[in-house]
Amino acid sequence: MGTCGIAAGAGEVLSAFRAEVGKNGLGDMGLCTSGCAGMCSKEPMVTVETKGGPAVLYGDVTPEKALRILKDHLQGGTPVREYALGIGAERDEIPFFRKQKAIVLRNRGIIDPDRIDEYIARDGYAALEKALGTMTPDEVIEEIKKSGLRGRGGAGFPTGKKWEICRAEEKAPKYLIGNCDEGDPGAYMDRSIFESDPHAVIEGMTIAAYAVGASHGYFYIRTEYPLAIRSAQAALSQAREHGLLGANILGSSFGFDIEIREGSGAFVCGEESSLIHSIEGESPEPKQRPPFPAQAGIWGCPTVINNVESLATVPAILREGAEWFSRIGTPTSKGTKIFSLVGAINNTGLIEVPMGITLREIVFEIGGGIQGNRKFKALQTGGPSGGCLPESMLDLPVDYESLAKSGSMMGSGGMIVIDEDTCMVDVAKFFVQFTNDESCGKCVSCRDGSDALLEVLTRIANGEGREGDLEFLDELCLAVKNASMCGLGATLPNPVLSTMKYFREEYEAHIRDRKCPALVCRNLIRYFIQPEKCNGCRLCAKNCPVDAISGDTKTVHVIDHAKCTRCGVCLEVCPPKVSAVMKVTGPPGPEGT
């Protein structure tokens, strides 16, 4: 079970099945777990397979529904249609899955991640066997270069080229690092891969080690991922027992092993040199490059750092061939990309899509559109270093160059959908606050620059913006981008720049009109009771935490704005059939509106 399934109650569902199977003597019935199937909004999910019958995928399963599924489907032979997301081939037609292409996630929801035999049964470790048995290290590197695979951690550097640089170094030993320190808010791609298919990462990393000539590697996993760490530990033990790690792998002369290092969750460790410092036991701060880690990494030795998704892609490329992989995607961005699709969207979850798919297809077909039929406002990609794209950019194809040209970036794969009820000034402030908190402080432009950006954004959100603030933000963002040492500092202004580019009118409304059009910024909103609707029920007055509402029973109530803290409780408790309380923005109008 993945983290999302457990959080949604999958453990209780599993217990319900186990208890009933035991009671009813259904000993011949197999019951097993799998990692996240991707559709997190429908967890807990259960797949039922019966002899001669179609596989049925159930969603939103509860312990009570589990009993009905067991009785009607497993004992009675009739699937419970009202709980089913898809029966047989219908599963592939579910909008969430229809446009996806699972390469890295091909085993999701299918195999038990704790059982290496299930991974092997689906051609697991066949690519490693091919590499060690029939290819030289140079041929492996050439195959990865031909595939066009680019790093999935954010920068998009060609993976084969990175391996080639490391292999060319004469210094030894050489190291491999599998980076699972994803720190972007809302991103969980690498965690989910470890939880659902850890052997794919081990196989890919072992192939990479063979290619560059490394004998030791590290999985760098953030300590907030206990399930991923446990899954990786169990898989490493199994791989050693099967002769897939250690000395003389698969009877060859090649030896390689992996150990786990837990990161403390510092965002800056997403930057390669900071991550290396963390493994070395030093303060996680970036350093000037070159030399690059592939030339001088851990303890000054050549080191390749690949993120988990990149490594898990490698076995498929060697198994199916570089030509097969390079036919997927766009001329410059090959293959597929995994995104965590979250925010104000109906179908949240983990998706793997071919490069070149449009943002509109992701949001409105795979994601099923905006929650509550509200209006789409923006799509944030690339995490805190990325940008916010408006509706006019929805037909943009997903590839490294198009996203960067638009003012955002691919990043590691975070994708947050934003609806009309969100203030873009507030969004920019949130991400700058995040990067300001996470700045290592070494670089003046990042440390003090993010301080200054946050100060101006806070002033604007508080209704104290000044003429000239936007021009100052433009200049400051440019200075921070140009003067920062590492990629994290150089990209931290992106949320500010993209929101000012595409949503400038919202900034201007805050500064010039003292309005927050989305009704979010607390200092720019007020609550008002409409006299013609108020029936004097006193619910708002009774629940107001600061006694700011006056009025007797069955008389019109009034809010004292000098006392009101704009907490919004009055709006929440006002009965929908009355709807007397309004949230408004801008200077007070007639009768206090």
Side-chain angles (χ1 to χ4, degrees), residues 40 102 107 176 204 284 288 325 372 386 388 425 444:
C40 303
N107 289 327
L176 253 295
Q288 199 74 42
F325 187 80
C388 297
V425 176
V444 173

Short mmCIF file of all heavy atoms in Angstrom, two decimals, residues 40 102 107 176 204 284 288 325 372 386 388 425 444:
data_model
loop_
_atom_site.label_atom_id
_atom_site.label_comp_id
_atom_site.label_asym_id
_atom_site.label_seq_id
_atom_site.Cartn_x
_atom_site.Cartn_y
_atom_site.Cartn_z
N CYS A 40 -5.05 8.85 -6.82
CA CYS A 40 -5.08 9.05 -5.37
C CYS A 40 -6.45 9.53 -4.87
O CYS A 40 -6.83 9.23 -3.75
CB CYS A 40 -4.01 10.07 -4.98
SG CYS A 40 -2.35 9.59 -5.50
N ALA A 102 2.20 4.37 -19.45
CA ALA A 102 2.97 3.92 -18.29
C ALA A 102 4.22 3.16 -18.73
O ALA A 102 4.13 2.07 -19.29
CB ALA A 102 2.09 3.04 -17.41
N ASN A 107 4.21 -1.03 -13.48
CA ASN A 107 3.87 -2.05 -12.48
C ASN A 107 2.97 -1.53 -11.37
O ASN A 107 2.68 -2.26 -10.43
CB ASN A 107 5.15 -2.62 -11.86
CG ASN A 107 5.93 -3.48 -12.83
OD1 ASN A 107 5.33 -4.15 -13.68
ND2 ASN A 107 7.25 -3.46 -12.74
N LEU A 176 27.61 6.48 -7.50
CA LEU A 176 26.27 6.75 -8.03
C LEU A 176 25.38 7.23 -6.88
O LEU A 176 25.49 6.69 -5.78
CB LEU A 176 25.65 5.49 -8.61
CG LEU A 176 25.52 5.34 -10.14
CD1 LEU A 176 24.57 6.38 -10.71
CD2 LEU A 176 26.86 5.41 -10.82
N GLY A 204 17.88 0.10 -12.51
CA GLY A 204 18.38 1.23 -13.30
C GLY A 204 19.69 1.77 -12.74
O GLY A 204 20.62 2.11 -13.48
N PRO A 284 24.69 21.32 4.23
CA PRO A 284 24.23 21.21 2.84
C PRO A 284 24.17 22.57 2.14
O PRO A 284 23.12 23.20 2.02
CB PRO A 284 22.83 20.60 2.98
CG PRO A 284 22.37 21.04 4.33
CD PRO A 284 23.59 21.10 5.20
N GLN A 288 30.53 26.44 -5.97
CA GLN A 288 30.71 26.94 -7.33
C GLN A 288 31.09 25.81 -8.28
O GLN A 288 31.88 24.93 -7.92
CB GLN A 288 31.80 28.02 -7.34
CG GLN A 288 31.77 28.92 -8.55
CD GLN A 288 30.63 29.93 -8.49
OE1 GLN A 288 30.37 30.49 -7.45
NE2 GLN A 288 29.97 30.14 -9.61
N PHE A 325 12.12 4.10 -27.46
CA PHE A 325 11.92 5.18 -26.50
C PHE A 325 11.91 6.54 -27.18
O PHE A 325 11.09 7.41 -26.88
CB PHE A 325 13.02 5.14 -25.43
CG PHE A 325 12.83 6.10 -24.30
CD1 PHE A 325 11.95 5.82 -23.26
CD2 PHE A 325 13.52 7.31 -24.26
CE1 PHE A 325 11.77 6.71 -22.20
CE2 PHE A 325 13.34 8.21 -23.22
CZ PHE A 325 12.48 7.90 -22.19
N GLY A 372 -15.89 21.67 -8.26
CA GLY A 372 -17.03 22.55 -8.02
C GLY A 372 -17.42 23.41 -9.20
O GLY A 372 -18.07 24.45 -9.03
N GLY A 386 9.32 27.13 -10.24
CA GLY A 386 8.59 27.18 -11.50
C GLY A 386 7.75 28.43 -11.63
O GLY A 386 8.00 29.45 -10.97
N CYS A 388 3.63 30.19 -12.96
CA CYS A 388 2.18 30.02 -13.06
C CYS A 388 1.74 30.41 -14.47
O CYS A 388 1.97 31.55 -14.90
CB CYS A 388 1.47 30.89 -12.04
SG CYS A 388 1.87 30.45 -10.33
N VAL A 425 -1.18 37.10 -6.21
CA VAL A 425 -0.18 37.77 -5.36
C VAL A 425 0.11 36.88 -4.16
O VAL A 425 1.27 36.69 -3.76
CB VAL A 425 -0.68 39.15 -4.89
CG1 VAL A 425 0.32 39.79 -3.93
CG2 VAL A 425 -0.93 40.07 -6.09
N VAL A 444 24.33 35.79 -0.87
CA VAL A 444 23.67 37.03 -0.46
C VAL A 444 22.45 37.32 -1.33
O VAL A 444 21.39 37.70 -0.83
CB VAL A 444 24.66 38.22 -0.54
CG1 VAL A 444 23.94 39.53 -0.29
CG2 VAL A 444 25.79 38.03 0.46
#
